[in-house]
Amino acid sequence: MIIWLNGTFGAGKTTTAKEVTSLLPDSRLFDTEKVGEMLWHVLGVPEKDFQDFPPWRGLVVETARQVLDHVGGTLVVTQTVLVEPYWQEIHDGLTKAGIPVHHFLLHTDRDTLVERIETDTKPESAGAKQWRLDHLTDYEQALPWLRRAAQVVDTTGVAPAEVAETVLRKVRTSRRGPHRPRPGGDHP
């Protein structure tokens, strides 16, 4: 299965993913940005975002499918997807491949997001600070469809370990709900 952590920059996706993988046996991070970086090498730097390359979406699905076929378990994806047709294409591809997808929107208010982005001291974040701030409006515009397509988890003032527990609890609940058959294999 895939646990997809969506949300804008500063929502806590990466930290939550590390917590989830530490709590869930046979899980691993799948960084779909690496697929985008590979496409830069082949197709050049995109005008706006590597997600705009149609091959990115198909390669994310195919890479996830092949990795899961090879190692099984759970892939935890931390990827902001703000374009609804892109998410639908990925989701439909994963579903067609028989991969259960648990889509979560990690959300917090704008003031908290700005504070998290501005106080992020990791060296790899320094150059992306303004870019992240500039994309908050895109995130806010995507919120209506994101709230329909994902389970919302509020990360405002919540420790990452607690956010991870909430995500895993929601995965367990959705897998055992009366509207879905309970798949075989390991359970979180």
Side-chain angles (χ1 to χ4, degrees):
M1 85 175 145
I2 289 178
I3 297 174
W4 194 294
L5 303 177
N6 203 342
T8 196
F9 314 98
K13 297 182 305 294
T14 301
T15 308
T16 298
K18 289 176 184 172
E19 292 284 341
V20 167
T21 57
S22 74
L23 296 169
L24 186 60
D26 296 324
S27 64
R28 56 191 38 84
L29 293 174
F30 172 34
D31 185 351
T32 60
E33 286 192 17
K34 299 297 183 194
V35 175
E37 291 171 8
M38 183 268 305
L39 287 173
W40 288 347
H41 173 72
V42 176
L43 302 175
V45 177
E47 216 173 285
K48 184 177 175 192
D49 192 310
F50 61 77
Q51 292 183 18
D52 295 332
F53 290 139
W56 177 78
R57 300 181 298 275
L59 286 169
V60 164
V61 170
E62 185 59 19
T63 304
R65 185 192 67 74
Q66 288 199 26
V67 167
L68 287 171
D69 283 352
H70 182 67
V71 297
T74 300
L75 294 181
V76 179
V77 178
T78 59
Q79 182 64 58
T80 302
V81 179
L82 301 180
V83 178
E84 186 174 13
Y86 294 179
W87 169 253
Q88 199 59 55
E89 184 178 340
I90 292 166
H91 183 269
D92 290 352
L94 293 168
T95 300
K96 186 177 178 183
I99 302 167
V101 180
H102 300 274
H103 183 204
F104 294 94
L105 172 64
L106 302 188
H107 176 76
T108 191
D109 60 82
R110 186 181 186 97
D111 291 341
T112 302
L113 289 169
V114 169
E115 180 183 338
R116 288 178 183 174
I117 293 168
E118 288 181 345
T119 60
D120 185 349
T121 58
K122 292 187 280 291
E124 63 271 16
S125 301
K129 190 176 291 190
Q130 191 58 52
W131 189 87
R132 291 173 175 181
L133 290 169
D134 291 345
H135 282 77
L136 290 177
T137 299
D138 293 339
Y139 170 69
E140 290 166 343
Q141 291 172 345
L143 274 173
W145 80 261
L146 284 168
R147 286 188 168 122
R148 286 189 314 272
Q151 295 185 67
V152 179
V153 178
D154 190 345
T155 66
T156 308
V158 182
E162 189 177 333
V163 174
E165 288 286 351
T166 298
V167 166
L168 290 173
R169 185 173 51 255
K170 288 177 179 273
V171 168
R172 285 184 207 104
T173 301
S174 70
R175 290 178 76 193
R176 295 182 182 139
H179 61 286
R180 297 176 101 159
R182 189 170 168 173
D186 62 285
H187 297 281

